[in-house]
Amino acid sequence: MPENKVRKYFQLIEAWAWCDICEDMISLNIDKNEIISGLEMGIYTKEYKHANPSPDLEDTDDVSGQEHTIYVYINDNYDITGVKSFFGESPSTEEIGAETIEAGGEVRIPVIVKEISPMAVQLGMLTKEQFKVLKICDGMNTIEQVASIAQKSVEEIEKMMEQLRKKGLVKVIKRT
Ligand SMILES: [Zn+2]
């Protein structure tokens, strides 16, 4: 899989993100102001709906011609820290299951139990880091993927999940 790339300009960035469904790089221009104003504690999630204009018509498994969405996670340095592709309005844990079962072994997917407002940080209920990580726990990312997107170690994320679980904010779904 080719690496995601970003070219940074004064006003905007040009991003190339790998879409698993198209099996191709998707190119996007994103205004830096959009990223800055959408950054929630260090991560912006760019949502982009698209369809592959030239799907493989002879391959019945190729569904990339149908509209789907990619999430491109961008940090405050305008770098891509993760990408997710899915069909429908929002990523579902079902799709995660299908994707990860192939990889084998047990996977752990942290999911937010309660919607948390940025106010929780101002009130000192959560640290900025915890809030940032919670935003990535959308049911699509495994613990390892959350760590990679947040640019932290798996051990740090595991520790944080345990703290958040005790606060009743997160549950970790296990799949085999
Ligand atoms: Zn695509």
Side-chain angles (χ1 to χ4, degrees):
M1 174 189 317
E3 222 176 299
N4 301 311
K5 271 195 212 86
V6 172
R7 196 173 286 162
K8 300 165 192 175
Y9 297 101
F10 185 64
Q11 286 279 350
L12 56 85
I13 66 161
E14 223 175 305
W16 287 269
W18 177 258
C19 177
D20 271 338
I21 295 171
C22 292
E23 296 188 332
D24 205 353
M25 294 303 271
I26 303 298
S27 130
L28 283 172
N29 285 345
I30 311 167
D31 197 295
K32 281 187 175 177
N33 286 325
E34 178 187 336
I35 297 171
I36 293 164
S37 61
L39 271 179
E40 295 201 50
M41 305 295 168
I43 297 277
Y44 174 57
T45 308
K46 173 69 181 177
E47 204 179 323
Y48 180 65
K49 277 193 165 65
H50 65 281
N52 187 352
S54 48
D56 184 349
L57 296 174
E58 279 166 24
D59 180 359
T60 48
D61 289 336
D62 187 354
V63 286
S64 63
Q66 296 168 30
E67 187 182 78
H68 55 277
T69 305
I70 53 172
Y71 276 0
V72 184
Y73 299 100
I74 297 167
N75 68 12
D76 50 10
N77 196 34
Y78 307 112
D79 289 316
I80 297 175
T81 61
V83 180
K84 284 280 162 186
S85 314
F86 57 93
F87 285 102
E89 280 313 302
S90 62
S92 74
T93 48
E94 290 307 309
E95 280 167 46
I96 269 278
E99 174 193 318
T100 45
I101 281 165
E102 283 175 45
E106 189 185 69
V107 288
R108 295 162 302 160
I109 301 163
V111 181
I112 299 178
V113 177
K114 248 193 293 195
E115 198 54 48
I116 299 125
S117 94
M119 191 63 91
V121 176
Q122 285 158 31
L123 294 173
M125 291 157 66
L126 286 178
T127 66
K128 284 186 177 187
E129 285 299 316
Q130 288 173 331
F131 186 82
K132 168 176 160 179
V133 167
L134 276 172
K135 298 300 291 181
I136 314 166
C137 298
D138 53 13
M140 284 189 90
N141 297 308
T142 63
I143 295 241
E144 288 73 18
Q145 288 167 329
V146 169
S148 148
I149 293 168
Q151 298 172 295
K152 293 191 165 298
S153 73
V154 171
E155 291 69 33
E156 281 176 285
I157 296 298
E158 281 171 343
K159 206 188 264 179
M160 195 183 280
M161 285 304 138
E162 187 52 25
Q163 293 163 348
L164 294 170
R165 197 184 59 79
K166 283 183 184 154
K167 290 184 189 216
L169 298 174
V170 157
K171 62 177 178 188
V172 179
I173 298 170
K174 286 185 183 164
R175 286 170 188 270
T176 46

